[in-house]
Amino acid sequence: MSLMVSCEKKVENPFLMPYNTPFDVPPFDKIKIEHYEPAILEGIKQNLTEIDAITSNTEAPTFENTIIPLDCSGETLEKVLLVMSNIGEAYKTDSLQEVIKKVSPMLSKHRDDISMNAKLFERVKVVYEGIATGSYTPEQKLLIENKYKGFVRGGANLNPEQQEKLRQINQEMAMAAIQFGENLLAETNGYKIVIENKEDLVGLPESVIAMGAADAKDNGLEGKWVYTVQKPSMLPFLTYSQNRDLREKLYSGYYMRGNNGNANDNKEVIKKIVDLRQQKAEILGYPTHAHFVVDVNMAKTPDKVYELLNQLWTPALKVAKAERNEMQKMIDAEGGKFKLSAADWWYYAEKVRKAKFDLDEEMLRPYLSLEGVKQGIFNLTEKLYGLKYKKLTDIPTYHPEAEAYEVLEADGKHLGILYLDFFPRASKSGGAWCTGFRDYKEKTDGTVQTPIVSIVCNFTKPTESTPSLLSYDEAETFFHEFGHALHGLFSKVKYHGLQNVPQDFVELPSQIMEHWASNPLYLKEYAKHYQTGEPMPDALIAKMEASGHFNQGFATTEFLAASILDMDFHTLTADKAKIGDVVAFEKESMDKVGLIPEIWPRYRSTYFNHIFGDVMGYSSGYYAYIWAEVLDSDAFEAFKESGDIYNKEIATKFRSCVLEKGGSKDAMELYTDFRGKEPSIEPLLKNRGLK
């Protein structure tokens, strides 16, 4: 007699078993949609078990039995969330978005369950209150302080009724941020202009025409030309198209995103987010959301943020008005019977630049091939830090377009893995960013977990006849994001809780890289013609240098306007946080500082993803870019003062004092350790032509 045994094969979840991949990268080729939720649930379960082990310990709380295990907890959950959140931005699918929306409330609850765990907080509090009498290193003291403050900011000191309210707010904020991002992506993907008559292409360079034809082909409209509100498509069109009506049509599609009164309208979402954030701040004892956010930044108070923004606003607006007047004179001289509009700015700015400096953006593109810029960045980091890059073809990637590299130290030692993902697609959020699939970590067994870093961009795509040829802004963006990547790759932070730096310090590593992108000496090395290999001619570099301050009034003003708008939303007190009309609020905010109608804020409210597309994101922190520019402009002076922009001694000091340290010291201490003094604002004013 034989027994017939039927059993269902257990589905293996790649998140819950060893990856067994080269360099232990996520097995993207094996991860399926159905793996995320079970892995998250298991990660939450494991994390709660770890927390229970801490709270059930009958020994007196110490750094070793409370702070360290807390800092090391949640590893499985973090591993899953880093993959899910990063792919959720770079390779969105409807099914993944559904998972994200489903697990978001669970994750919000889990975070609150930990931050409001009374027994856990009590143990952390005991260690915190004993700092003065304990023999701790400066890093250990900072970790204890950060953990304690994190609990307080998470609601640990609130009464049960307040905690329940905070839980509800956190969940609602998480869902609202997801909704904002979904709406924006739908609006961005849903708008394009289709050109059928070749006469409507007048003024466009051949490369821009070819790009439009390629996008039309991708949309099943072969024989026509398509231009979208993705910046690599939109900005060249606005810069060169002689058809004013089409320029206005395309630009209005961009600046009206999320403000069209349709299913993807973001105005009500914004009102909800602003109100919820203010409620949270009030419960936690802060006057406004901005006070809550900036309290842990270098600025410390919203007043300090406004002080910097206002200090720059007056000279920037003055220069912007002069730029506007110069363009209006050109319009009048040509017999134009109209006033310059926001949609005209790029077109007439380019004409003025051509007239004044004999410089055309399209003159630069042949020297800025994506491959050439990438190799230039690789060469620069080898000059500064000795790094080498080995392209990997036998490693899983999350999308066929993503490239992978092993990053090596000068002595050949493995430093980390770098993913690069360059071009727009319907499944990708707009903009450019750097993130990570794994942080540096010193494990308890003495081994080291090396980082996995990812750069995601939306650059100009190649066409059938040319490789990807970048605008200068795109090339500079690549340098910028690579600075973030170096910050992640170089990390040597011992404690996980000290990895992050203040929001207004985090742009220093990225923005200092931009100084090499525009430096005449390095342009000569990396900017080479994609066909001939000839370096950018001295005459063209001289024109770039001569026009270095051109249009800086516009660039600075549109940035400052967005920063002020962000702060105005988030410094609303409880009696004013219920906004009646988002568009009216934005107008009032901009009218108050005298923004001219020819310039919109860099991000209008309904597509300001930096501040509304994430639970926290850059809310009350968009100013961070200009705050950090004070630092990066001053920091690059160290290289210039030495007479060698590749000075390895200074680069090594910047690496050891800033890039390796994360948040293991006060941010200003990190900076002064490198520079020997606090930064001056003078280099920034000089770089932007505002002095």
Side-chain angles (χ1 to χ4, degrees), residues 485-502:
L486 293 177
H487 202 186
L489 288 164
F490 283 149
S491 175
K492 293 290 183 287
V493 180
K494 183 174 183 178
Y495 301 113
H496 185 62
L498 297 180
Q499 285 280 359
N500 294 331
V501 301

Side-chain angles (χ1 to χ4, degrees), residues 48 170 218 259 308 320 339 375 383 454 459 506 547 556 583 596 603 606 619 648:
L48 291 176
N170 287 339
D218 290 344
N259 185 25
L308 175 65
K339 283 193 171 184
Q375 191 57 52
K383 285 175 179 287
S454 178
F459 289 159
V506 75
S547 66
T556 309
V583 175
I596 56 179
Y603 297 103
T606 54
S619 64
K648 285 193 174 183

Side-chain angles (χ1 to χ4, degrees), residues 633-644 647 650 674-675:
S633 298
D634 185 82
F636 192 68
E637 284 294 306
F639 289 91
K640 291 166 67 176
E641 288 164 4
S642 77
D644 179 9
N647 190 306
I650 295 173
F674 162 66
R675 194 70 168 103

Side-chain angles (χ1 to χ4, degrees), residues 383-569:
K383 285 175 179 287
L384 294 173
Y385 306 111
L387 300 185
K388 299 183 184 300
Y389 302 84
K390 178 182 177 183
K391 189 165 186 178
L392 303 171
T393 56
D394 60 344
I395 192 170
T397 60
Y398 62 85
H399 190 278
E401 292 179 355
E403 303 174 355
Y405 291 84
E406 182 185 9
V407 187
L408 304 164
E409 297 275 20
D411 61 2
K413 182 182 177 183
H414 174 80
L415 181 65
I417 297 296
L418 174 66
Y419 285 99
L420 301 174
D421 179 6
F422 292 118
F423 304 120
R425 52 179 175 265
S427 60
K428 185 191 286 188
S429 295
W433 62 93
C434 179
T435 184
F437 289 103
R438 185 175 71 208
D439 290 333
Y440 172 89
K441 185 179 291 185
E442 294 184 10
K443 297 186 177 181
T444 53
D445 63 3
T447 60
V448 168
Q449 171 182 285
T450 56
I452 302 172
V453 177
S454 178
I455 294 175
V456 187
C457 305
N458 283 276
F459 289 159
T460 301
K461 294 188 289 188
T463 67
E464 291 181 356
S465 58
T466 63
S468 172
L469 301 178
L470 305 183
S471 68
Y472 176 72
D473 282 348
E474 289 175 325
E476 188 177 69
T477 294
F478 196 174
F479 275 80
H480 176 106
E481 299 304 335
F482 214 91
H484 284 308
L486 293 177
H487 202 186
L489 288 164
F490 283 149
S491 175
K492 293 290 183 287
V493 180
K494 183 174 183 178
Y495 301 113
H496 185 62
L498 297 180
Q499 285 280 359
N500 294 331
V501 301
Q503 197 175 47
D504 45 12
F505 187 80
V506 75
E507 298 300 333
L508 165 61
S510 56
Q511 291 177 180
I512 193 173
M513 286 289 286
E514 296 176 24
H515 292 271
W516 280 282
S518 60
N519 186 275
L521 185 63
Y522 199 58
L523 271 167
K524 193 78 175 172
E525 291 202 31
Y526 83 88
K528 297 181 179 179
H529 199 283
Y530 77 99
Q531 290 174 315
T532 66
E534 290 295 312
M536 186 179 284
D538 291 336
L540 188 53
I541 292 175
K543 290 176 183 179
M544 286 185 67
E545 195 170 15
S547 66
H549 294 156
F550 180 72
N551 214 34
Q552 275 300 307
F554 168 82
T556 309
T557 299
E558 67 156 7
F559 171 82
L560 293 173
S563 301
I564 290 167
L565 180 61
D566 170 30
M567 292 302 293
D568 285 356
F569 269 120

Side-chain angles (χ1 to χ4, degrees), residues 531-651:
Q531 290 174 315
T532 66
E534 290 295 312
M536 186 179 284
D538 291 336
L540 188 53
I541 292 175
K543 290 176 183 179
M544 286 185 67
E545 195 170 15
S547 66
H549 294 156
F550 180 72
N551 214 34
Q552 275 300 307
F554 168 82
T556 309
T557 299
E558 67 156 7
F559 171 82
L560 293 173
S563 301
I564 290 167
L565 180 61
D566 170 30
M567 292 302 293
D568 285 356
F569 269 120
H570 294 117
T571 49
L572 291 173
T573 50
D575 57 326
K576 296 178 181 177
K578 293 188 183 298
I579 298 170
D581 185 327
V582 168
V583 175
F585 179 88
E586 179 183 298
K587 184 178 186 305
E588 183 182 349
S589 171
M590 297 297 93
D591 287 349
K592 181 181 63 181
V593 293
L595 180 65
I596 56 179
E598 295 85 359
I599 298 178
W600 288 111
R602 181 172 294 178
Y603 297 103
R604 295 193 68 195
S605 308
T606 54
Y607 54 88
F608 206 159
N609 201 48
H610 282 76
I611 67 172
F612 294 126
D614 195 350
V615 175
M616 290 295 288
Y618 267 67
S619 64
S620 304
Y622 193 64
Y623 78 90
Y625 292 93
I626 204 87
W627 183 281
E629 194 172 337
V630 175
L631 303 174
D632 70 70
S633 298
D634 185 82
F636 192 68
E637 284 294 306
F639 289 91
K640 291 166 67 176
E641 288 164 4
S642 77
D644 179 9
I645 63 167
Y646 312 121
N647 190 306
K648 285 193 174 183
E649 183 180 343
I650 295 173

